[in-house]
Structure formats: structure tokens, C-alpha cells
Amino acid sequence: MAIERTFSIIKPDAVAKNHIGAIYSRFESAGLKIIASKMVHLTKEQAEGFYAEHSERPFFGALVSFMTSGPIMVQVLEGENAVLANREIMGATNPAEAARGTLRADYAVSIDENAVHGSDALASAEREIAYFFAADEICPRTR
Ligand code: YYY
Ligand code: MG
């Protein structure tokens, strides 16, 4: 099994509802280590850049508007198969379809306000980590 890094966001809805600690606890209970973390309030330009792959989708404007509506927590998670492990902890994009016990089942209310983001592949994890964190802001425990 490979030790990977993935990128995670606690979205404005979950921050506003005070779920940061509960969500961090889920990551840690699953064996993922938080090796970088900060709170940011995205500008429109930052949110558009982050979600550029979705720029032609009908929900893009609403997504950018939601992601800039309040502060978010961004973090780098490290652990065995971290990319897939985090996607499993998160659950399906639509909370109505998310498996019981997943973050989206427990903390999301709708597909457009769905509590968390997680990278969908190693390549996107690398790109998304670099979008938010400088190398010296990341503190691997495996050093
Ligand atoms: O990776 P994940 O967040 O599970 O879903 P994506 O298909 O990458 O979509 C990104 C983001 O866009 C999703 O978390 C909510 C929003 N969205 C939406 O509002 N409505 C949709 N039909 C699909 C996605
Ligand atoms: Mg995605």
C-alpha cells in the first residue's frame, strides 16, 4: 500500500455549522494525518481557478458563489491510499446517495452544499495541494 497525500476542503456550510472538529476527527480516526491546514476565505477568482474543470457546467456560477460565501478549511491529508480513503470517508457527491456514516451523509444537506471536497486522483491532489500550500507549509510526519 502506498503512502499518498490528498487535498481536502471543509466547505463554507460545514464551517458555518461548526463541524470542523468533528470532520477532522473522522480523518484522524481513519488513520489519515493532517500535515497542513489553514482557514481561508476564497475570492471569486480563486474559486473559479480551483474549479476551472467545471467552468462549462450549468452549476458553475452557483458553485463559485457558494464556495466564496464564507471561510473554508483547507488541509493536506497523508496516509495509506489517502486519495481513495478520503473519497470513501466523504461519500457520494449527492448526500442523498452517500453511504451511511460518511461525511456527506452526516453533514451535507444538498448536492450543491455538500460539506467537503476531496481530490479525485493523485494528479489532481498534487495540483490542488500546490494551489493552496507552499512546500514549507506542509509538515510530513514520515520525515
Ligand atoms: O468531486 P465531487 O465534489 O464529489 O463532485 P464533482 O463532480 O467534482 O463536482 C464538484 C462540486 O460541484 C460538487 O462537490 C458540488 C458541485 N456540483 C453541483 O452543485 N451540482 C452538480 N450536479 C454536480 C456538482
Ligand atoms: Mg471533484
Side-chain angles (χ1 to χ4, degrees), residues 24-104:
Y24 272 19
S25 178
R26 296 279 184 98
F27 295 148
E28 295 191 326
S29 299
L32 294 176
K33 292 175 175 158
I34 298 159
I35 62 167
S37 169
K38 62 188 170 189
M39 182 174 273
V40 293
H41 193 147
L42 294 180
T43 64
K44 185 166 178 278
E45 291 68 31
Q46 285 174 315
E48 286 173 348
F50 181 74
Y51 278 118
E53 66 181 300
H54 295 306
S55 62
E56 302 305 320
R57 309 281 291 278
F59 57 80
F60 186 65
L63 175 62
V64 168
S65 167
F66 166 59
M67 290 301 292
T68 56
S69 67
I72 61 174
M73 289 298 299
V74 294
Q75 47 278 330
V76 179
L77 308 176
E78 184 179 74
E80 281 187 3
N81 296 322
V83 172
L84 186 62
N86 182 43
R87 293 292 302 197
E88 285 175 359
I89 293 164
M90 290 166 57
T93 307
N94 185 349
E97 293 163 8
R100 205 184 301 175
T102 61
L103 290 173
R104 282 166 164 169

